[in-house]
Amino acid sequence: MSKTVSLFSALLCTFIWGTTFIAQDTGMDNIGPFTFNAVRFFVGFLAIVPLAFLFEVKKFKSEFKLDFKTFVTLSFLIGLSLFLGSALQQVALLYTDVANAAFFTIFYVPMVPIIIFLFRRKSIHWSVWPSVVLCLIGGYLLTNFHDATVRLGDTLVILGALFWSTHIIFTGIIVTKYNLPLTLGAIQTLLVALFSFVIGLIYEEFIFENILNEIDSILYAGILSGGFAFVLQIYAQKNITPAPAAIIFSLEGVFATIAAWFLLNQILGINNLLGCFFILCGVLLSQLLPLMKRSV
């Protein structure tokens, strides 16, 4: 797979995530966050698993020939990270503004290179750090966070950003060892659905009629975001290391703002436009500066 295909996968994945933010917020009018995630990710699993059987079952023997245990361990860690990140983000939307949630979620951008440096002692291209700063400034301007009040629920979003970081890092590790993106996508969505279902049974009520009332949001968030977007993430990280990948994924805020402009008629102010510009600059720097160094 070429770098161009990986970049396209990352951008398409990020576009889906950004537009899904609206579905996540509106999809809890009649159901709880764990019910929403349980159904959403199970729908995503149903969308991916037929493709996994069709295209990847024949590769199981060769892919697992050397080390099946590592695949199981990493798949579980990826599924657990995705569950914790998505659950904390979804619950936080009940207690904080979308502006706060969007801004603090982007904290996974600096967390990824810091975690990689601390625990893997892996060198990171210097361009990552100015790109991270630009993305954080862009996220601040994009979400109008300066007009919001910090709430206790914001701590949930920050904690969730930590698990989004580990999800990106573990995905970056597993894609270098195994070429089973559809299988991995199916496994992680099933794990999130099961974990969410168990928690939902304890703290929420699963009412079929209420779930049907949110079916549009669930189908969009489930099939496109919970299913195919996370598979696209796996394809993207085939040729993009975790730190630059996290910077590209920060475009989620840009796409969310544009979607709100078109779908909710939310007018973009000068701060929003500047935020988009800063994030785009951060993404471009993270991708172009390493290439310039190689060509010299």
Side-chain angles (χ1 to χ4, degrees), residues 3-174:
K3 180 73 175 290
T4 302
V5 174
S6 291
L7 283 171
F8 177 78
S9 298
L11 290 172
L12 182 56
C13 161
T14 308
F15 171 79
I16 295 173
W17 283 346
T19 54
T20 302
F21 214 92
I22 297 173
Q24 286 180 254
D25 190 41
T26 60
M28 293 190 295
D29 292 339
N30 298 286
I31 58 178
F34 289 100
T35 302
F36 179 84
N37 274 353
V39 181
R40 166 196 175 185
F41 281 97
F42 186 68
V43 168
F45 167 75
L46 293 178
I48 298 173
V49 73
L51 298 176
F53 274 106
L54 183 62
F55 294 107
E56 294 183 354
V57 165
K58 294 181 180 178
K59 298 196 297 184
F60 284 179
K61 187 175 181 180
S62 60
E63 290 291 333
F64 298 145
K65 186 176 182 180
L66 296 177
D67 194 353
F68 178 69
K69 183 179 179 180
T70 300
F71 180 82
V72 173
T73 302
L74 287 173
S75 296
F76 177 79
L77 290 174
I78 289 171
L80 181 62
S81 296
L82 180 57
F83 162 70
L84 292 171
S86 59
L88 287 166
Q89 184 187 71
Q90 199 68 34
V91 172
L93 286 171
L94 297 175
Y95 300 103
T96 189
D97 294 334
V98 172
N100 293 50
F103 175 68
F104 283 122
T105 296
I106 208 174
F107 271 44
Y108 66 75
V109 176
M111 285 181 182
V112 168
I114 290 172
I115 292 172
I116 291 174
F117 178 77
L118 291 177
F119 292 97
R120 300 189 67 193
R121 296 297 178 183
K122 190 174 180 180
S123 61
I124 299 170
H125 193 272
W126 66 269
S127 62
V128 165
W129 302 110
S131 298
V132 164
V133 173
L134 286 170
C135 289
L136 287 176
I137 294 172
Y140 180 87
L141 295 171
L142 196 64
T143 58
N144 294 320
F145 175 74
H146 52 280
D147 292 331
T149 302
V150 177
R151 296 174 173 84
L152 181 61
D154 296 330
T155 59
L156 297 177
V157 188
I158 296 174
L159 186 58
L162 173 63
F163 293 111
W164 289 123
S165 303
T166 58
H167 181 262
I168 292 172
I169 292 170
F170 288 137
T171 299
I173 295 172
I174 202 171

Side-chain angles (χ1 to χ4, degrees), residues 216-233:
D216 292 339
S217 297
I218 288 172
L219 288 177
Y220 188 88
I223 296 175
L224 289 180
S225 178
F228 292 112
F230 284 107
V231 173
L232 287 169
Q233 177 196 354

